[in-house]
Amino acid sequence: MLDANVVGKVIQTYRERKGISQEVLSGLADIGRTHLSAVERGERRPTLETFFRIGQALEVRPSELLRAIEDEIE
């Protein structure tokens, strides 16, 4: 089963590497900041649509994010 904490950790890592705040990323992804915060904390799992929006906002292919999640799980 997919661990929401791992998904959130990967998204947070990419966001921090890019040097942007949750507020900026949520605006670029057109999602609520509290929603993004809950995703990063592992309290919510992003839908596929949200996952793609976050990837696009981070200028990262969703497949790269997914690969990073898989790497964390292994």
Side-chain angles (χ1 to χ4, degrees), residues 9-50:
K9 178 181 173 187
V10 168
I11 291 171
Q12 181 179 10
T13 299
Y14 272 80
R15 177 181 60 77
E16 290 174 347
R17 279 189 207 153
K18 192 142 178 91
I20 59 177
S21 67
Q22 285 182 343
E23 187 170 348
V24 169
L25 178 57
S26 65
L28 292 171
D30 196 28
I31 61 175
R33 193 206 55 80
T34 55
H35 184 122
L36 176 61
S37 177
V39 168
E40 286 190 359
R41 290 192 315 271
E43 294 175 359
R44 296 188 70 170
R45 289 191 182 118
T47 64
L48 189 56
E49 174 72 24
T50 300

Side-chain angles (χ1 to χ4, degrees), residues 1-3 6-7 9-10 66-74:
M1 177 169 244
L2 185 59
D3 185 343
V6 173
V7 174
K9 178 181 173 187
V10 168
L66 187 54
R67 190 170 299 113
I69 292 165
E70 289 175 329
D71 290 346
E72 280 291 318
I73 291 171
E74 294 175 355

